[in-house]
PDB file of all heavy atoms in Angstrom:
ATOM      1  N   VAL A 125      -5.953 -73.808 -55.844  1.00  0.00           N
ATOM      2  CA  VAL A 125      -5.791 -75.170 -55.341  1.00  0.00           C
ATOM      3  C   VAL A 125      -7.191 -75.786 -55.127  1.00  0.00           C
ATOM      4  O   VAL A 125      -7.419 -76.956 -55.503  1.00  0.00           O
ATOM      5  CB  VAL A 125      -4.955 -75.196 -54.031  1.00  0.00           C
ATOM      6  CG1 VAL A 125      -5.061 -76.504 -53.291  1.00  0.00           C
ATOM      7  CG2 VAL A 125      -3.498 -74.825 -54.311  1.00  0.00           C
ATOM      8  N   ALA A 126      -8.139 -75.029 -54.578  1.00  0.00           N
ATOM      9  CA  ALA A 126      -9.466 -75.516 -54.373  1.00  0.00           C
ATOM     10  C   ALA A 126     -10.134 -75.941 -55.654  1.00  0.00           C
ATOM     11  O   ALA A 126     -10.783 -77.022 -55.832  1.00  0.00           O
ATOM     12  CB  ALA A 126     -10.336 -74.525 -53.589  1.00  0.00           C
ATOM     13  N   LEU A 127     -10.043 -75.097 -56.709  1.00  0.00           N
ATOM     14  CA  LEU A 127     -10.578 -75.397 -58.024  1.00  0.00           C
ATOM     15  C   LEU A 127      -9.964 -76.609 -58.690  1.00  0.00           C
ATOM     16  O   LEU A 127     -10.646 -77.466 -59.228  1.00  0.00           O
ATOM     17  CB  LEU A 127     -10.457 -74.165 -58.957  1.00  0.00           C
ATOM     18  CG  LEU A 127     -11.346 -73.021 -58.632  1.00  0.00           C
ATOM     19  CD1 LEU A 127     -10.933 -71.762 -59.316  1.00  0.00           C
ATOM     20  CD2 LEU A 127     -12.824 -73.359 -58.960  1.00  0.00           C
ATOM     21  N   LEU A 128      -8.618 -76.689 -58.522  1.00  0.00           N
ATOM     22  CA  LEU A 128      -7.931 -77.882 -59.056  1.00  0.00           C
ATOM     23  C   LEU A 128      -8.294 -79.166 -58.325  1.00  0.00           C
ATOM     24  O   LEU A 128      -8.465 -80.266 -58.913  1.00  0.00           O
ATOM     25  CB  LEU A 128      -6.447 -77.656 -59.033  1.00  0.00           C
ATOM     26  CG  LEU A 128      -5.910 -76.584 -60.048  1.00  0.00           C
ATOM     27  CD1 LEU A 128      -4.425 -76.324 -59.766  1.00  0.00           C
ATOM     28  CD2 LEU A 128      -6.151 -77.023 -61.464  1.00  0.00           C
ATOM     29  N   MET A 129      -8.481 -79.067 -57.005  1.00  0.00           N
ATOM     30  CA  MET A 129      -8.883 -80.203 -56.235  1.00  0.00           C
ATOM     31  C   MET A 129     -10.297 -80.670 -56.610  1.00  0.00           C
ATOM     32  O   MET A 129     -10.526 -81.906 -56.768  1.00  0.00           O
ATOM     33  CB  MET A 129      -8.774 -79.939 -54.699  1.00  0.00           C
ATOM     34  CG  MET A 129      -7.386 -79.904 -54.166  1.00  0.00           C
ATOM     35  SD  MET A 129      -7.306 -79.344 -52.425  1.00  0.00           S
ATOM     36  CE  MET A 129      -8.280 -80.526 -51.616  1.00  0.00           C
ATOM     37  N   GLY A 130     -11.148 -79.778 -56.791  1.00  0.00           N
ATOM     38  CA  GLY A 130     -12.515 -80.055 -57.277  1.00  0.00           C
ATOM     39  C   GLY A 130     -12.499 -80.738 -58.635  1.00  0.00           C
ATOM     40  O   GLY A 130     -13.175 -81.738 -58.855  1.00  0.00           O
ATOM     41  N   ALA A 131     -11.749 -80.206 -59.499  1.00  0.00           N
ATOM     42  CA  ALA A 131     -11.599 -80.779 -60.855  1.00  0.00           C
ATOM     43  C   ALA A 131     -11.016 -82.187 -60.806  1.00  0.00           C
ATOM     44  O   ALA A 131     -11.429 -83.150 -61.452  1.00  0.00           O
ATOM     45  CB  ALA A 131     -10.736 -79.858 -61.765  1.00  0.00           C
ATOM     46  N   GLY A 132      -9.963 -82.314 -59.979  1.00  0.00           N
ATOM     47  CA  GLY A 132      -9.296 -83.665 -59.802  1.00  0.00           C
ATOM     48  C   GLY A 132     -10.304 -84.652 -59.233  1.00  0.00           C
ATOM     49  O   GLY A 132     -10.364 -85.815 -59.650  1.00  0.00           O
ATOM     50  N   LEU A 133     -11.038 -84.266 -58.179  1.00  0.00           N
ATOM     51  CA  LEU A 133     -11.993 -85.192 -57.589  1.00  0.00           C
ATOM     52  C   LEU A 133     -13.117 -85.582 -58.582  1.00  0.00           C
ATOM     53  O   LEU A 133     -13.434 -86.742 -58.696  1.00  0.00           O
ATOM     54  CB  LEU A 133     -12.663 -84.513 -56.351  1.00  0.00           C
ATOM     55  CG  LEU A 133     -13.750 -85.363 -55.649  1.00  0.00           C
ATOM     56  CD1 LEU A 133     -13.154 -86.610 -55.063  1.00  0.00           C
ATOM     57  CD2 LEU A 133     -14.349 -84.533 -54.543  1.00  0.00           C
ATOM     58  N   GLY A 134     -13.582 -84.631 -59.324  1.00  0.00           N
ATOM     59  CA  GLY A 134     -14.540 -84.938 -60.392  1.00  0.00           C
ATOM     60  C   GLY A 134     -14.002 -85.843 -61.411  1.00  0.00           C
ATOM     61  O   GLY A 134     -14.705 -86.853 -61.823  1.00  0.00           O
ATOM     62  N   ALA A 135     -12.806 -85.624 -61.911  1.00  0.00           N
ATOM     63  CA  ALA A 135     -12.231 -86.493 -62.883  1.00  0.00           C
ATOM     64  C   ALA A 135     -11.984 -87.901 -62.271  1.00  0.00           C
ATOM     65  O   ALA A 135     -12.224 -88.909 -62.986  1.00  0.00           O
ATOM     66  CB  ALA A 135     -10.880 -85.873 -63.368  1.00  0.00           C
ATOM     67  N   ALA A 136     -11.549 -87.969 -61.059  1.00  0.00           N
ATOM     68  CA  ALA A 136     -11.330 -89.285 -60.439  1.00  0.00           C
ATOM     69  C   ALA A 136     -12.631 -90.057 -60.274  1.00  0.00           C
ATOM     70  O   ALA A 136     -12.624 -91.312 -60.556  1.00  0.00           O
ATOM     71  CB  ALA A 136     -10.689 -89.113 -59.054  1.00  0.00           C
ATOM     72  N   THR A 137     -13.717 -89.391 -59.929  1.00  0.00           N
ATOM     73  CA  THR A 137     -14.999 -90.170 -59.837  1.00  0.00           C
ATOM     74  C   THR A 137     -15.475 -90.697 -61.160  1.00  0.00           C
ATOM     75  O   THR A 137     -15.925 -91.786 -61.228  1.00  0.00           O
ATOM     76  CB  THR A 137     -16.148 -89.337 -59.203  1.00  0.00           C
ATOM     77  OG1 THR A 137     -16.345 -88.148 -60.000  1.00  0.00           O
ATOM     78  CG2 THR A 137     -15.768 -88.856 -57.770  1.00  0.00           C
ATOM     79  N   VAL A 138     -15.228 -89.964 -62.196  1.00  0.00           N
ATOM     80  CA  VAL A 138     -15.605 -90.355 -63.558  1.00  0.00           C
ATOM     81  C   VAL A 138     -14.709 -91.528 -64.015  1.00  0.00           C
ATOM     82  O   VAL A 138     -15.177 -92.461 -64.649  1.00  0.00           O
ATOM     83  CB  VAL A 138     -15.566 -89.207 -64.536  1.00  0.00           C
ATOM     84  CG1 VAL A 138     -15.806 -89.697 -66.011  1.00  0.00           C
ATOM     85  CG2 VAL A 138     -16.694 -88.165 -64.178  1.00  0.00           C
ATOM     86  N   VAL A 139     -13.472 -91.510 -63.700  1.00  0.00           N
ATOM     87  CA  VAL A 139     -12.522 -92.561 -64.077  1.00  0.00           C
ATOM     88  C   VAL A 139     -12.900 -93.885 -63.305  1.00  0.00           C
ATOM     89  O   VAL A 139     -12.940 -94.936 -63.889  1.00  0.00           O
ATOM     90  CB  VAL A 139     -11.023 -92.212 -63.759  1.00  0.00           C
ATOM     91  CG1 VAL A 139     -10.139 -93.402 -63.878  1.00  0.00           C
ATOM     92  CG2 VAL A 139     -10.647 -91.091 -64.720  1.00  0.00           C
ATOM     93  N   VAL A 140     -13.237 -93.766 -62.048  1.00  0.00           N
ATOM     94  CA  VAL A 140     -13.642 -94.919 -61.240  1.00  0.00           C
ATOM     95  C   VAL A 140     -14.909 -95.536 -61.869  1.00  0.00           C
ATOM     96  O   VAL A 140     -14.988 -96.779 -62.065  1.00  0.00           O
ATOM     97  CB  VAL A 140     -13.889 -94.542 -59.788  1.00  0.00           C
ATOM     98  CG1 VAL A 140     -14.546 -95.699 -59.015  1.00  0.00           C
ATOM     99  CG2 VAL A 140     -12.535 -94.195 -59.146  1.00  0.00           C
ATOM    100  N   ASN A 141     -15.876 -94.710 -62.112  1.00  0.00           N
ATOM    101  CA  ASN A 141     -17.145 -95.154 -62.692  1.00  0.00           C
ATOM    102  C   ASN A 141     -17.848 -93.896 -63.195  1.00  0.00           C
ATOM    103  O   ASN A 141     -18.139 -92.975 -62.393  1.00  0.00           O
ATOM    104  CB  ASN A 141     -17.995 -95.839 -61.650  1.00  0.00           C
ATOM    105  CG  ASN A 141     -19.223 -96.432 -62.279  1.00  0.00           C
ATOM    106  OD1 ASN A 141     -19.850 -95.925 -63.155  1.00  0.00           O
ATOM    107  ND2 ASN A 141     -19.666 -97.594 -61.712  1.00  0.00           N
ATOM    108  N   PRO A 142     -18.249 -93.797 -64.491  1.00  0.00           N
ATOM    109  CA  PRO A 142     -18.873 -92.617 -64.973  1.00  0.00           C
ATOM    110  C   PRO A 142     -20.168 -92.237 -64.244  1.00  0.00           C
ATOM    111  O   PRO A 142     -20.416 -91.032 -64.013  1.00  0.00           O
ATOM    112  CB  PRO A 142     -19.227 -92.987 -66.453  1.00  0.00           C
ATOM    113  CG  PRO A 142     -18.219 -94.033 -66.764  1.00  0.00           C
ATOM    114  CD  PRO A 142     -17.933 -94.753 -65.577  1.00  0.00           C
ATOM    115  N   SER A 143     -20.880 -93.215 -63.777  1.00  0.00           N
ATOM    116  CA  SER A 143     -22.157 -92.879 -63.041  1.00  0.00           C
ATOM    117  C   SER A 143     -21.801 -92.286 -61.629  1.00  0.00           C
ATOM    118  O   SER A 143     -22.539 -91.458 -61.164  1.00  0.00           O
ATOM    119  CB  SER A 143     -23.001 -94.155 -62.842  1.00  0.00           C
ATOM    120  OG  SER A 143     -22.383 -95.138 -62.093  1.00  0.00           O
ATOM    121  N   LEU A 144     -20.678 -92.643 -61.087  1.00  0.00           N
ATOM    122  CA  LEU A 144     -20.301 -92.094 -59.775  1.00  0.00           C
ATOM    123  C   LEU A 144     -20.160 -90.570 -59.849  1.00  0.00           C
ATOM    124  O   LEU A 144     -20.646 -89.859 -58.973  1.00  0.00           O
ATOM    125  CB  LEU A 144     -18.970 -92.750 -59.301  1.00  0.00           C
ATOM    126  CG  LEU A 144     -18.460 -92.271 -57.932  1.00  0.00           C
ATOM    127  CD1 LEU A 144     -19.465 -92.525 -56.775  1.00  0.00           C
ATOM    128  CD2 LEU A 144     -17.118 -92.902 -57.601  1.00  0.00           C
ATOM    129  N   GLY A 145     -19.466 -90.092 -60.882  1.00  0.00           N
ATOM    130  CA  GLY A 145     -19.330 -88.662 -61.041  1.00  0.00           C
ATOM    131  C   GLY A 145     -20.657 -87.940 -61.139  1.00  0.00           C
ATOM    132  O   GLY A 145     -20.908 -86.898 -60.576  1.00  0.00           O
ATOM    133  N   LEU A 146     -21.565 -88.607 -61.928  1.00  0.00           N
ATOM    134  CA  LEU A 146     -22.903 -88.064 -62.039  1.00  0.00           C
ATOM    135  C   LEU A 146     -23.699 -88.075 -60.747  1.00  0.00           C
ATOM    136  O   LEU A 146     -24.406 -87.128 -60.381  1.00  0.00           O
ATOM    137  CB  LEU A 146     -23.693 -88.776 -63.114  1.00  0.00           C
ATOM    138  CG  LEU A 146     -23.146 -88.550 -64.585  1.00  0.00           C
ATOM    139  CD1 LEU A 146     -23.788 -89.509 -65.526  1.00  0.00           C
ATOM    140  CD2 LEU A 146     -23.419 -87.080 -65.017  1.00  0.00           C
ATOM    141  N   PHE A 147     -23.549 -89.150 -60.025  1.00  0.00           N
ATOM    142  CA  PHE A 147     -24.255 -89.284 -58.672  1.00  0.00           C
ATOM    143  C   PHE A 147     -23.737 -88.203 -57.702  1.00  0.00           C
ATOM    144  O   PHE A 147     -24.546 -87.508 -57.049  1.00  0.00           O
ATOM    145  CB  PHE A 147     -24.071 -90.656 -58.012  1.00  0.00           C
ATOM    146  CG  PHE A 147     -24.991 -91.718 -58.497  1.00  0.00           C
ATOM    147  CD1 PHE A 147     -24.536 -92.778 -59.210  1.00  0.00           C
ATOM    148  CD2 PHE A 147     -26.338 -91.573 -58.297  1.00  0.00           C
ATOM    149  CE1 PHE A 147     -25.392 -93.783 -59.692  1.00  0.00           C
ATOM    150  CE2 PHE A 147     -27.255 -92.568 -58.781  1.00  0.00           C
ATOM    151  CZ  PHE A 147     -26.782 -93.638 -59.450  1.00  0.00           C
ATOM    152  N   VAL A 148     -22.391 -87.960 -57.638  1.00  0.00           N
ATOM    153  CA  VAL A 148     -21.880 -86.947 -56.805  1.00  0.00           C
ATOM    154  C   VAL A 148     -22.394 -85.582 -57.210  1.00  0.00           C
ATOM    155  O   VAL A 148     -22.815 -84.767 -56.381  1.00  0.00           O
ATOM    156  CB  VAL A 148     -20.304 -87.051 -56.837  1.00  0.00           C
ATOM    157  CG1 VAL A 148     -19.741 -85.739 -56.113  1.00  0.00           C
ATOM    158  CG2 VAL A 148     -19.815 -88.277 -56.124  1.00  0.00           C
ATOM    159  N   ALA A 149     -22.342 -85.281 -58.507  1.00  0.00           N
ATOM    160  CA  ALA A 149     -22.836 -84.028 -59.000  1.00  0.00           C
ATOM    161  C   ALA A 149     -24.377 -83.815 -58.660  1.00  0.00           C
ATOM    162  O   ALA A 149     -24.695 -82.736 -58.208  1.00  0.00           O
ATOM    163  CB  ALA A 149     -22.660 -83.905 -60.557  1.00  0.00           C
ATOM    164  N   ALA A 150     -25.175 -84.853 -58.828  1.00  0.00           N
ATOM    165  CA  ALA A 150     -26.517 -84.799 -58.514  1.00  0.00           C
ATOM    166  C   ALA A 150     -26.818 -84.464 -57.048  1.00  0.00           C
ATOM    167  O   ALA A 150     -27.649 -83.642 -56.663  1.00  0.00           O
ATOM    168  CB  ALA A 150     -27.251 -86.104 -58.973  1.00  0.00           C
ATOM    169  N   ILE A 151     -26.073 -85.141 -56.214  1.00  0.00           N
ATOM    170  CA  ILE A 151     -26.194 -84.921 -54.721  1.00  0.00           C
ATOM    171  C   ILE A 151     -25.846 -83.485 -54.400  1.00  0.00           C
ATOM    172  O   ILE A 151     -26.593 -82.821 -53.633  1.00  0.00           O
ATOM    173  CB  ILE A 151     -25.359 -85.937 -53.956  1.00  0.00           C
ATOM    174  CG1 ILE A 151     -25.936 -87.328 -54.113  1.00  0.00           C
ATOM    175  CG2 ILE A 151     -25.184 -85.523 -52.462  1.00  0.00           C
ATOM    176  CD1 ILE A 151     -24.999 -88.463 -53.631  1.00  0.00           C
ATOM    177  N   VAL A 152     -24.744 -82.986 -54.966  1.00  0.00           N
ATOM    178  CA  VAL A 152     -24.408 -81.609 -54.689  1.00  0.00           C
ATOM    179  C   VAL A 152     -25.464 -80.620 -55.210  1.00  0.00           C
ATOM    180  O   VAL A 152     -25.859 -79.664 -54.489  1.00  0.00           O
ATOM    181  CB  VAL A 152     -22.982 -81.256 -55.268  1.00  0.00           C
ATOM    182  CG1 VAL A 152     -22.637 -79.781 -55.234  1.00  0.00           C
ATOM    183  CG2 VAL A 152     -21.918 -82.105 -54.565  1.00  0.00           C
ATOM    184  N   ILE A 153     -25.934 -80.790 -56.382  1.00  0.00           N
ATOM    185  CA  ILE A 153     -26.945 -79.879 -56.980  1.00  0.00           C
ATOM    186  C   ILE A 153     -28.219 -79.968 -56.179  1.00  0.00           C
ATOM    187  O   ILE A 153     -28.790 -78.905 -55.873  1.00  0.00           O
ATOM    188  CB  ILE A 153     -27.167 -80.284 -58.433  1.00  0.00           C
ATOM    189  CG1 ILE A 153     -25.906 -79.968 -59.283  1.00  0.00           C
ATOM    190  CG2 ILE A 153     -28.414 -79.430 -58.997  1.00  0.00           C
ATOM    191  CD1 ILE A 153     -25.897 -80.643 -60.683  1.00  0.00           C
ATOM    192  N   LEU A 154     -28.672 -81.194 -55.842  1.00  0.00           N
ATOM    193  CA  LEU A 154     -29.924 -81.280 -55.039  1.00  0.00           C
ATOM    194  C   LEU A 154     -29.713 -80.670 -53.609  1.00  0.00           C
ATOM    195  O   LEU A 154     -30.663 -80.085 -53.059  1.00  0.00           O
ATOM    196  CB  LEU A 154     -30.382 -82.705 -54.986  1.00  0.00           C
ATOM    197  CG  LEU A 154     -30.900 -83.247 -56.322  1.00  0.00           C
ATOM    198  CD1 LEU A 154     -31.047 -84.778 -56.228  1.00  0.00           C
ATOM    199  CD2 LEU A 154     -32.145 -82.575 -56.707  1.00  0.00           C
ATOM    200  N   ALA A 155     -28.572 -80.816 -53.061  1.00  0.00           N
ATOM    201  CA  ALA A 155     -28.307 -80.160 -51.773  1.00  0.00           C
ATOM    202  C   ALA A 155     -28.394 -78.688 -51.875  1.00  0.00           C
ATOM    203  O   ALA A 155     -28.920 -77.973 -50.978  1.00  0.00           O
ATOM    204  CB  ALA A 155     -26.952 -80.589 -51.211  1.00  0.00           C
ATOM    205  N   VAL A 156     -27.842 -78.105 -52.937  1.00  0.00           N
ATOM    206  CA  VAL A 156     -27.921 -76.635 -53.170  1.00  0.00           C
ATOM    207  C   VAL A 156     -29.376 -76.197 -53.281  1.00  0.00           C
ATOM    208  O   VAL A 156     -29.760 -75.211 -52.628  1.00  0.00           O
ATOM    209  CB  VAL A 156     -27.065 -76.255 -54.417  1.00  0.00           C
ATOM    210  CG1 VAL A 156     -27.366 -74.765 -54.807  1.00  0.00           C
ATOM    211  CG2 VAL A 156     -25.567 -76.389 -54.183  1.00  0.00           C
TER     212      VAL A 156
END
Side-chain angles (χ1 to χ4, degrees):
V125 167
L127 289 164
L128 291 173
M129 286 174 57
L133 178 62
T137 61
V138 171
V139 168
V140 169
N141 186 326
S143 65
L144 179 61
L146 292 168
F147 278 117
V148 170
I151 290 166
V152 170
I153 295 164
L154 290 169
V156 168

